[in-house]
């Protein structure tokens, strides 16, 4: 964790929670969302919320929203690595040398229209299955109940090494002002335009249901989009805002570029403190 004065690692953060929770700005760099990382975030964020006098229910929705955003970031980075691999295989099969294929890949990834156009050459369901496979293998390792077979170990090691090689990191910034608590979650992969548009459209549908007094209906099968994207996680965050009596379309913003996706979440301190929902 870094701020203007110090750089601390996991165990050091826990040792200094009493002092840290009184600060107004935090910058954390994450490699993943392991149990120790969750515990550190829980201690830090809940300590901050306790310090500002947040209602426990509001604290629950804020922390749950942060976890959803981080899980989206992790899935986004994994999905992008797998997309890169699949696209590189296609380009290599066109007859170019490996070096030329890699150079062309970087041009495509840096150019949004080209990147979106190349999605037709990559099977979405295959990417979805591989992302889910990575998450399931990581869960099995954390649970320590099953031993991975050599093929699973090789697949997971390959994905991990490529995430590190391509510096696919996640950062969290927390800032407290006189009126708001601001969260900024950034991961080093983009959302493709088609997926981004679909997420924005589904958020509007969610808002329409909320305005009719039944926002929870959004999670029924007829509304929920099953495609592999950040849509479900964002919907869960939005629902937390609605439960708190806040409009997420005003307070949650998503931006994406050629190499990054950033989620901004703003929580008025008055809403965090009051039992008005």
């Amino acid at each position: 964790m870094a701020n203007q004065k110090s750089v601390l690692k996991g165990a050091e953060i826990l040792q200094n929670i009493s002092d840290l929770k009184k600060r107004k700005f935090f910058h954390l760099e994450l490699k993943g969302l392991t149990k120790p990382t969750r515990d550190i975030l829980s201690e830090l964020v809940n300590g901050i919320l306790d310090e500002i006098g947040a209602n426990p229910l509001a604290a629950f929705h804020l922390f749950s929203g942060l976890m959803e955003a981080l899980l989206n970031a992790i899935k986004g980075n994994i999905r992008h690595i797998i997309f890169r691999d699949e696209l590189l295989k296609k380009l290599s099969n066109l007859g170019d040398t490996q070096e030329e294929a890699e150079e062309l890949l970087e041009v495509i990834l840096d150019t949004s229209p080209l990147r979106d156009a190349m999605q037709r050459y990559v099977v979405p369901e295959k990417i979805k299955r591989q992302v889910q496979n990575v998450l399931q293998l990581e869960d099995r390792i954390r649970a320590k109940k099953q031993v991975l077979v050599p093929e699973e170990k090789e697949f997971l090691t390959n994905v991990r090494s490529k995430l590190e090689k391509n510096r696919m990191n996640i950062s969290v910034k927390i800032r407290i002002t006189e009126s708001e608590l601001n969260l900024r979650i950034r991961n080093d992969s983009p959302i493709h335009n088609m997926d981004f548009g679909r997420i924005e459209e589904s958020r509007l549908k969610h808002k329409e249901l909320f305005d009719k007094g039944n926002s929870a209906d959004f999670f029924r099968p007829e509304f929920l989009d099953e495609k592999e994207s950040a849509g479900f996680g964002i919907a869960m965050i939005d629902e937390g805002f609605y439960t708190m009596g806040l409009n997420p379309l005003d307070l949650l913003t998503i931006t994406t570029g050629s190499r990054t996706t950033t989620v901004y979440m703003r929580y008025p301190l008055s809403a965090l403190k009051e039992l008005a929902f």
Side-chain angles (χ1 to χ4, degrees), residues 109-137:
L109 293 177
D110 276 334
T111 310
S112 181
L114 289 176
R115 189 175 65 240
D116 290 338
M118 293 304 289
Q119 285 192 84
R120 73 186 66 178
Y121 299 109
V122 179
V123 181
E125 285 301 314
K126 182 177 181 180
I127 293 180
K128 177 179 179 178
R129 287 194 301 270
Q130 291 194 59
V131 171
Q132 290 174 336
N133 191 22
V134 172
L135 296 175
Q136 289 168 358
L137 292 176

Side-chain angles (χ1 to χ4, degrees), residues 8 18 59 107 117 248 255 260:
L8 302 177
S18 295
V107 172
T255 63
T260 61

Side-chain angles (χ1 to χ4, degrees), residues 62-239:
L62 184 149
F63 186 72
S64 297
L66 173 59
M67 291 297 102
E68 288 290 348
L70 288 174
L71 182 57
N72 274 351
I74 290 167
K75 290 171 67 176
N77 282 356
I78 296 170
R79 187 184 303 111
H80 190 63
I81 283 296
I82 295 171
F83 176 78
R84 284 177 61 98
D85 270 6
E86 292 295 314
L87 196 50
L88 184 57
K89 290 175 187 175
K90 299 291 184 183
L91 295 173
S92 299
N93 290 336
L94 295 177
D96 295 326
T97 66
Q98 186 69 15
E99 183 179 353
E100 290 172 333
E102 290 177 356
E103 289 178 357
L104 180 56
L105 174 66
E106 294 306 317
V107 172
I108 291 170
L109 293 177
D110 276 334
T111 310
S112 181
L114 289 176
R115 189 175 65 240
D116 290 338
M118 293 304 289
Q119 285 192 84
R120 73 186 66 178
Y121 299 109
V122 179
V123 181
E125 285 301 314
K126 182 177 181 180
I127 293 180
K128 177 179 179 178
R129 287 194 301 270
Q130 291 194 59
V131 171
Q132 290 174 336
N133 191 22
V134 172
L135 296 175
Q136 289 168 358
L137 292 176
E138 294 284 10
D139 284 342
R140 284 168 57 187
I141 290 175
R142 281 195 290 272
K144 298 180 180 179
K145 292 182 179 180
Q146 294 179 323
V147 177
L148 303 188
V149 300
E151 293 81 4
E152 292 172 331
K153 288 181 180 179
E154 182 180 359
F155 171 68
L156 190 56
T157 299
N158 186 41
V159 171
R160 285 173 169 175
S161 65
K162 287 177 179 176
L163 286 168
E164 184 172 353
K165 177 184 176 182
N166 289 279
R167 299 179 182 178
M168 308 290 283
N169 296 318
I170 300 164
S171 68
V172 180
K173 287 186 178 181
I174 305 172
R175 187 183 299 275
I176 304 169
T177 69
E178 291 185 1
S179 60
E180 290 184 336
L181 188 153
N182 299 318
L183 300 174
R184 192 221 69 180
I185 300 94
R186 174 170 293 164
N187 61 290
D188 293 332
S189 60
I191 300 176
H192 293 171
N193 284 342
M194 185 182 302
D195 292 330
F196 190 80
R198 190 161 41 79
I199 290 169
E200 292 298 299
E201 183 180 351
S202 76
R203 294 188 74 200
L204 292 175
K205 290 180 181 176
H206 197 174
K207 179 63 165 61
E208 289 176 8
L209 289 170
F210 170 76
D211 290 340
K212 295 175 182 177
N214 53 351
S215 68
D217 284 355
F218 181 80
F219 299 95
R220 292 167 56 181
E222 60 264 37
F223 292 106
L224 206 54
D225 193 330
E226 296 293 335
K227 295 185 179 67
E228 178 62 34
S229 74
F232 180 79
I234 295 298
M236 294 295 291
I237 302 171
D238 281 352
E239 187 66 16

